[in-house]
Amino acid sequence: EVQLVESGGDLVQPGGSLRLSCAASGFTFSDYHMDWVRQAPGKGLEWVGRSRDKGNSYTTEYAASVKGRFTISRDDSKNSVHLQMNTLKTEDTAVYYCGRVLRGLEYWGQGTLVTVSS
Amino acid sequence: DIQMTQSPSSLSASVGDRVTITCRASQGINIKLGWFQQKPEKAPKSLIYDATTLRGGVPSKFSGSGSGTDFTLTITSLQPEDSATYYCQQYYNYPITFGQGTRLEIK
C-alpha cells in the first residue's frame, strides 16, 4: 500500500525558514517523480514543485512564486523528499501536500500545515 | 503559463442526478489532464488521468472526456458522498496548473 506522510509544519515568522519532509512507503521510491502542492486556507490547489526520479537525474522544477526561496531535495536511501522553505512570506501559509507522480499526481499525503505569521 | 478555467464554480444537484463539470485550457494540452476530488479537511484524491482513464478503484460513475483545450468530468447517479470540490490539473508543461475548483453540493 502506497503511503505518504508529511511532517514539519509549524508556525514561523515572516522571513523565517522551515523544512518539510515526506516519508514514502509501499513502492520503489527512486522510480517516481515527487511533487509538492499547497492549499492556502479556503483556497484552491497550487503546484509548488517537482523532484524528478533517479532516471532523470533528480532534476527539479518550481512554481514562479517559490523559485529561489524553496528547494526540493530527496533521499532515496530513506524514501523521503524534502521541501526547504526560506524567506517565508505570509502568503506561504497553507497546507502542504506531497504526492507521487504517475501521469499526473497519483497519490497524495495527508498534508502538513505551515503558518507564517508574526 | 497555461490557465485552467473550470465551470461552473459551484453547482447543486439531487441524489440520482447526472452532472458535468467543464475545464478549459488556455492553450492545447493534448490529453495531459487529470481530475481530483477533495472533501472538506481531506487530501485530494486522483480520479482520472490522461483526460479519460480512471485511476484504479475509482467507480465507473466518474468519466472524463476531451482533448486539446476542452475537457469534461461527468458524474452519474449522484450520491451524498459525491459532495466535494472537484479540480482539474494540466501536466502538459511547467508550471503545472490547476483549475480553480468546482464545488458540488448534493441536495
Side-chain angles (χ1 to χ4, degrees):
Chain A
E1 179 192 6
V2 172
Q3 287 198 352
L4 300 169
V5 180
E6 300 92 337
S7 61
D10 205 347
L11 170 64
V12 61
Q13 291 189 339
S17 297
L18 202 61
R19 185 179 189 244
L20 306 184
S21 297
C22 171
S25 61
F27 62 100
T28 303
F29 183 74
S30 61
D31 285 349
Y32 290 88
H33 302 346
M34 298 295 294
D35 277 3
W36 286 95
V37 174
R38 67 184 180 183
Q39 186 169 36
K43 302 298 185 181
L45 301 170
E46 180 187 16
W47 178 79
V48 172
R50 170 169 294 177
S51 170
R52 293 188 181 87
D53 62 12
K54 180 180 180 180
N56 287 277
S57 305
Y58 304 123
T59 52
T60 53
E61 299 284 348
Y62 297 95
S65 58
V66 306
K67 196 169 186 178
R69 300 188 300 124
F70 290 11
T71 301
I72 300 174
S73 62
R74 61 192 289 164
D75 183 344
D76 285 2
S77 70
K78 295 183 179 179
N79 291 343
S80 61
V81 60
H82 308 283
L83 180 65
Q84 176 67 42
M85 304 185 293
N86 298 331
T87 319
L88 282 160
K89 306 175 182 180
T90 55
E91 54 262 41
D92 294 320
T93 294
V95 174
Y96 284 74
Y97 298 99
C98 70
R100 187 182 92 167
V101 176
L102 182 64
R103 299 190 180 190
L105 269 159
E106 183 184 18
Y107 289 101
W108 299 64
Q110 86 290 345
T112 188
L113 176 62
V114 173
T115 303
V116 184
S117 175
S118 54
Chain B
D1 298 3
I2 299 175
Q3 307 299 319
M4 305 301 292
T5 304
Q6 289 183 230
S7 60
S9 296
S10 64
L11 74 157
S12 181
S14 299
V15 171
D17 281 357
R18 172 181 180 269
V19 297
T20 297
I21 298 169
T22 296
C23 180
R24 175 164 288 176
S26 60
Q27 65 186 73
I29 60 170
N30 198 337
I31 60 167
K32 302 301 184 185
L33 183 110
W35 288 98
F36 301 87
Q37 176 193 64
Q38 186 179 31
K39 297 183 179 181
E41 307 306 318
K42 296 292 187 181
K45 173 188 174 182
S46 177
L47 299 175
I48 287 170
Y49 68 93
D50 287 352
T52 62
T53 306
L54 258 61
R55 294 283 187 190
V58 174
S60 59
K61 62 185 302 179
F62 295 95
S63 63
S65 67
S67 67
T69 59
D70 294 310
F71 302 85
T72 60
L73 172 69
T74 299
I75 313 170
T76 60
S77 302
L78 282 173
Q79 297 299 311
E81 58 267 27
D82 298 323
S83 179
T85 300
Y86 293 85
Y87 294 92
C88 62
Q89 180 210 43
Q90 68 80 19
Y91 46 93
Y92 180 76
N93 67 10
Y94 298 101
I96 291 166
T97 47
F98 289 89
Q100 81 280 13
T102 296
R103 180 175 293 184
L104 172 61
E105 175 197 10
I106 309 299
K107 288 182 281 192

